[in-house]
Amino acid sequence: MRDRIAEASRAAGVTPDPLAPVRLTHYRQVLRRVLESFTTLGAGGEDRLWLWEDFKEPRYALPAKPGHALLSRLVSPRQRVWFIAEDWDRHKREGNFWVFEGRSRR
């Protein structure tokens, strides 16, 4: 799992260091804030799959490539970014998402 996350973070333009999992003490807080800011589900979306179906308007979707090239235009250098992955394989004990954080680069 970590290798896939490191590969995805490099492709997304996040620092070469692998994204770090958000601490368990902050996991729920970060996830709720993202859900409330970017989805129509709000905090009630913690157990939902396929968040892209519930993004707030206007919404855009880009493939990982060339989408990763746009990240540096959308996010200031060294700004904190979050990578949220759905747990399709159901390895998590609670919730449907893995939440990681890193910094953008230029």
Side-chain angles (χ1 to χ4, degrees), residues 13 70-79 103-106:
L70 298 177
L71 185 63
S72 64
R73 293 182 185 168
L74 298 172
V75 180
S76 300
R78 304 293 305 152
Q79 185 173 353
R103 299 231 175 241
S104 63
R105 65 177 178 189
R106 270 202 219 184

Side-chain angles (χ1 to χ4, degrees), residues 34 40 46 50 63 82:
V34 168
T40 59
E46 288 183 33
W50 305 320
W82 288 273

Side-chain angles (χ1 to χ4, degrees), residues 1 4 86-98:
M1 175 79 160
R4 285 189 269 166
E86 293 178 5
D87 182 26
W88 289 18
D89 296 330
R90 303 283 192 207
H91 292 293
K92 286 189 58 117
R93 293 182 187 161
E94 186 177 322
N96 290 330
F97 302 101
W98 299 97

